[in-house]
Structures are given as C-alpha cells and as structure tokens.
Amino acid sequence: MAATEQRAADPGVDPAGLATRLSRLTLTRNLGIALVAGVVLLLISNALSPFDNLQLATMAYTFIAVAGLSLLTGLNGQVSLGHGALMAIGAYTAAKLFAEDPGPGWPLLAVLLAATAVTALAGVVIGAAAARLRGPYLAGATLALAVALPSISERFPDFLGGSNGLTIIPPLPPSGLGVDFALERWHAWIACLGALVAFVVLANLVRGRQGREWRAVRDDEIAAELCGLHVARSQVLAFVVSAACCGLAGGLFVVVTQLAAPGAFPLALSVSLLAAAVLGGLGSLGGAAAGAALIVLIPRWSDDASAALGLTTNVQANLALAIYGLLLIAVVLLAPRGIAGIFGRAAHAVRTRWESQQMRRHERRGEVG
C-alpha cells in the first residue's frame, strides 16, 4: 500500500498518460495483426476458386457473429441462443436499403453501417431485458427470440417478402479490377475487410478498460458493484456490442448471398454460433475464427466423406450434426477452454521450456566463470 501511494505521489508517474500509451500500443499491435492478416487473406483469395471464395466470405461474416457472441458469453457471462435472430435484423435492414431504391441505391458502406446501427438499437432493448435475467432464464428468453423473430416476415409479406424473403442485386466489383474479376472474390474481400475491422474494434475493447470491467462483472457481480462498477450498464453494453457484430454479419450475409429470408436464420443457426464459440474458446477472438471456420467447413467435409464412402442420403444429412456433437463432447472433456486454450497451453509449454533452457545456460556460464 505504501509503495502504491508513493508511486501515485511521484510527479514522474502519470497514470493517465501511462494508460494512454498502453492504449496506443494495443491499437498499434491490433492494427498490425489486422494488416498482416489482410495481406494473407488477399493472397489466399487470389488463389481460390469462386466456390472457395464464397466459403471464405462465409467464414468471415460468421467470424464476426461468433466473435460478438464469444465476447458476450466469455467475457460478460451472458448466454444467448438468439444471435441468429439478431443476424436476421441486420440482414433485413441491409436488404431493404438495397431494394428500396431502384436507382443507384445506398452506398455499400452506408448499408453495412445502417445494418450494424439498427441491430445495435435492438440490442439496447433486448440487452436491457436480458440484464434482469440470469442463467437458464436468459438463455430461454433469447431462445424465444430466435424462434419468434424470423417468422415476423411472414406476418408482413408486403414489407419483408414473406417466406420468400427479399433479394438484392449484388454489389459489383469496381471497373478498375477488370471485366473478368470474379464476383465471389469481390464479396470475399468485402466480408474479410468487415471481419478485420470487427477484429480491431473488439480486440481493443477486450484489452482495454471495458474488457476488464466485463470480466469483473462476469466473475462476481456483487464485488464489481462494491468496487463502483455499474453492473446493469456493463451487461447492456456487452449485449449491444455483441448485437452490433451480428448486425454487421447479417449485412455481409446479404451481400454474399443476395438474399434475406426467414429460412436463412433458423434456430439451428443460433445454436451453431454458440457451438462455434465454445469450440473455439469463449472470450478468444482467435478461437472465434477457428470456430467459425469449423462450422463452415464441417458440412463440406462431411458431404465429401459421405460421397467417398457411399453413404445414404439420410446419413449424409445428419453426419455434420454428429461431427458437431462429437467435437463438442471432446472439447468439453479434454479442452474446456476450446481450441484457443489448446494453443495457449502449447505456447505456454514452449515458452516455459525455452525460459528453463535459458536459465540453465546462464547457470553453466556462471559455473564456468
């Protein structure tokens, strides 16, 4: 305590300036990671076929939704089974803005920002109600949202397109890229750019003051409140950020698929997003990327395996679900922190071994000296 007071009284120590410098270092590091990842994704997309670029775009917008859910559950302790419905809000918002004007239409960036903002506003309302619920009650409330919200389009078929949904004219590549530039590659670039922007924003939140506040509320709400934290406000803000991620993911979904329909946002989508967050590792952005890749690639792998083994149609349709279940059981039993936890433990083991080797080398040098 005395040392802390002495440092606080020391005129050479500026806590506010130190926090600002740390924030700038975090932002610089995250921007550097995003830049490197962007270059890698650019090179990968140029080498992929149109179908593989479509898969890459699907992984990108799925990552955004999974990252938002992973932040909400892993950092703030709120379990949601309704994020598929939040994606539907963003998708329908984007589809209406694309479809309403038969002329040039809204700019793509404006459409994605509007989809994100509208879903964030919905997250304010849902998050305010969710802040009063805990555990299975919160999961049940969001589950009801996932079941009920997509069916609203059938109640307003003139406005939302009914069961057929809304279709749009896809954003075309700029003429400077050439006439033969693949539309799927352009959509993959858009989706990957959105994913990188989401990564930078979320990474700075996770590593900053707000992330520490979310963790404190998750670990012990009473202790956090005694420390002066506003628990309900923190929980609502976490839900709003997570909902905004789903809104952006829904807008990119419309860009990639050119469709917003109730059948695209079933309850299974919400469950898949939560499964991806658990598989990757709750609270980890790297884990969210791994989980998103898994839920996109597993159906393709299962179809290839079924075709190679000559399995029946019924088995082929359920093989992906069986693989999901087996992976979840394996992760819960063997790696409770998900894929990110496995890599984290491996990195820790490598670092510990390297430090011990360095220490032994210094000891030998000391003995020789």
Side-chain angles (χ1 to χ4, degrees):
M1 179 67 70
T4 304
E5 293 176 353
Q6 183 178 0
R7 286 196 299 269
D10 188 353
V13 176
D14 183 7
L18 179 61
T20 301
R21 289 194 295 271
L22 290 176
S23 177
R24 289 176 180 174
L25 287 174
T26 301
L27 177 60
T28 302
R29 183 188 62 183
N30 292 331
L31 287 174
I33 294 173
L35 180 61
V36 173
V39 172
V40 172
L41 290 171
L42 178 65
L43 296 175
I44 291 175
S45 67
N46 288 333
L48 294 179
S49 65
F51 177 77
D52 289 331
N53 268 308
L54 182 62
Q55 294 271 284
L56 179 62
T58 304
M59 291 181 205
Y61 67 69
T62 303
F63 159 75
I64 301 174
V66 173
L69 179 57
S70 181
L71 178 149
L72 178 69
T73 304
L75 264 67
N76 199 239
Q78 300 185 70
V79 180
S80 172
L81 290 173
H83 271 48
L86 295 174
M87 280 186 66
I89 295 175
Y92 272 96
T93 301
K96 289 299 295 183
L97 295 179
F98 276 125
E100 281 295 307
D101 190 352
W106 283 48
L108 175 61
L109 178 59
V111 170
L112 295 178
L113 289 176
T116 304
V118 170
T119 314
L121 290 176
V124 173
V125 178
I126 301 170
R132 301 175 180 272
L133 301 173
R134 298 293 183 272
Y137 302 102
L138 173 59
T142 54
L143 176 64
L145 176 70
V147 172
L149 191 61
S151 62
I152 293 178
S153 62
E154 299 181 6
R155 300 294 300 271
F156 302 97
D158 295 335
F159 183 69
L160 298 176
S163 59
N164 293 326
L166 302 173
T167 58
I168 69 164
I169 299 175
L172 300 177
S175 58
L177 295 176
V179 180
D180 298 330
F181 193 85
L183 182 64
E184 293 82 3
R185 186 185 302 170
W186 174 239
H187 290 168
W189 286 11
I190 295 172
C192 289
L193 180 60
L196 293 175
V197 171
F199 165 78
V200 172
V201 173
L202 293 178
N204 281 277
L205 285 174
V206 168
R207 295 291 183 180
R209 175 183 176 184
Q210 191 57 59
R212 294 190 294 272
E213 182 175 327
W214 285 335
R215 293 186 189 92
V217 172
R218 175 202 62 191
D219 293 339
D220 194 324
E221 293 183 11
I222 297 177
E225 192 168 2
L226 290 175
C227 291
L229 301 180
H230 198 297
V231 173
R233 183 173 60 192
S234 175
Q235 291 175 331
V236 172
L237 180 58
F239 206 100
V240 169
V241 172
S242 185
C245 291
C246 285
L248 177 58
L252 291 170
F253 172 87
V254 170
V255 172
V256 174
T257 64
Q258 298 98 55
L259 174 68
F265 307 99
L267 175 61
L269 174 60
S270 298
V271 176
S272 296
L273 294 177
L274 183 58
V278 174
L279 287 173
L282 292 173
S284 169
L285 295 179
L294 280 177
I295 66 169
V296 172
L297 293 175
I298 283 177
R300 179 179 177 181
W301 292 342
S302 65
D303 290 342
D304 293 341
S306 299
L309 297 175
L311 301 178
T312 62
T313 304
N314 291 333
V315 174
Q316 181 178 355
N318 295 293
L319 183 59
L321 294 177
I323 295 174
Y324 284 142
L326 292 174
L327 281 176
L328 280 174
I329 293 172
V331 166
V332 170
L333 293 178
L334 303 177
R337 295 180 61 187
I339 296 174
I342 295 174
F343 283 101
R345 282 187 296 178
H348 177 72
V350 171
R351 184 170 61 251
T352 301
R353 183 175 180 180
W354 182 82
E355 290 176 352
S356 63
Q357 290 176 350
Q358 294 297 315
M359 186 177 298
R360 285 196 294 269
R361 289 177 183 175
H362 286 300
E363 290 175 353
R364 292 194 192 101
R365 292 175 182 175
E367 292 175 358
V368 172

